[in-house]
Amino acid sequence: NKNDNNKNDNNKNDNNKNDKINNNIPKQDILDFKIFNSNIPEVYNIEDFSRNPITEENKKRRNSVLQETIYAWSKYKEYAWGEDELLPKSKSGGGNYGMGLTIIDSLDTLWIMGLKDEFEECKEWIDKHFIIKNMLESVSVFETFIRVVGGLLSAYE
C-alpha cells in the first residue's frame, strides 16, 4: 500500500511537470514552430568586436587551435590522404567505407579556419576521386548522411 502511494505521488509529480511544460507553450505555436524561431540565436561575424571582444589571450588561444589543426591536417595528408580516417599509432589510413570521409567532413572546418588552400585540395580530391561506384559495398546510412551529405552541404557555395 505504501509503495502504491509512492507510485501515485510520482505519477502526480510527472503529470504536474508535463502540465507546466505544456502550459508554457501555446498550442498554435507547437504546430507552426513559431516558438522555436524566436529562440534561434543570431549568427554574427566572429570579428564583431562589440559582441566578441578579441583579447590577447583569445588571440593566443585561436592561434594555438589553428596551429594544432594545421599539424593534425598535415599528418592526415602525409599518412592517410583519401582514407576515411588517420590511424595515428600505425601512421596509416583506414576506415570502413572507402569514401575519404575525413576530407569531406573537414570542408567546413577548413573554410571557417581560413585554410583555403587545404579546402581547395579537398575539392580537387572530391572532384577526381569521390565516385559512388568506388565505395565499399556496405556503407552506413548514418555515417553517409552526417559526414558526406553534411560535409558537402556545408561546403556548398
Side-chain angles (χ1 to χ4, degrees), residues 16-66:
N16 286 341
K17 287 178 191 174
N18 289 335
D19 288 343
K20 286 179 186 175
I21 292 169
N22 291 333
N23 287 335
N24 290 334
I25 303 173
K27 298 265 187 256
Q28 71 275 9
D29 286 346
I30 292 173
L31 298 176
D32 63 13
F33 298 101
K34 287 179 187 172
I35 188 106
F36 298 108
N37 291 336
S38 65
N39 294 325
I40 296 174
E42 179 184 333
V43 176
Y44 62 93
N45 184 336
I46 197 162
E47 298 298 334
D48 180 357
F49 298 110
S50 65
R51 292 184 66 180
N52 187 24
I54 307 298
T55 64
E56 285 304 313
E57 184 178 351
N58 285 344
K59 286 180 185 178
K60 287 179 185 176
R61 287 179 181 158
R62 283 185 184 182
N63 188 48
S64 178
V65 170
L66 179 62

Side-chain angles (χ1 to χ4, degrees), residues 1-13:
N1 227 1
K2 192 174 190 177
N3 287 336
D4 288 338
N5 287 338
N6 284 341
K7 285 181 189 177
N8 288 337
D9 288 343
N10 287 339
N11 286 340
K12 285 178 188 175
N13 288 338

Side-chain angles (χ1 to χ4, degrees), residues 48-103:
D48 180 357
F49 298 110
S50 65
R51 292 184 66 180
N52 187 24
I54 307 298
T55 64
E56 285 304 313
E57 184 178 351
N58 285 344
K59 286 180 185 178
K60 287 179 185 176
R61 287 179 181 158
R62 283 185 184 182
N63 188 48
S64 178
V65 170
L66 179 62
Q67 294 309 310
E68 291 300 321
T69 301
I70 291 169
Y71 176 79
W73 186 253
S74 72
K75 294 307 173 187
Y76 170 74
K77 281 180 58 179
E78 182 178 347
Y79 298 117
W81 184 249
E83 299 289 336
D84 290 339
E85 59 192 42
L86 169 64
L87 305 171
K89 283 187 176 181
S90 65
K91 294 184 178 177
S92 64
N96 296 321
Y97 308 110
M99 291 191 262
L101 290 176
T102 295
I103 291 173

Side-chain angles (χ1 to χ4, degrees), residues 114-131:
L115 301 172
K116 306 300 190 236
D117 292 339
E118 291 81 354
F119 178 87
E120 291 300 324
E121 285 179 304
C122 292
K123 277 180 40 179
E124 287 176 31
W125 184 91
I126 292 166
D127 187 44
K128 292 177 183 173
H129 302 285
F130 184 73
I131 301 168

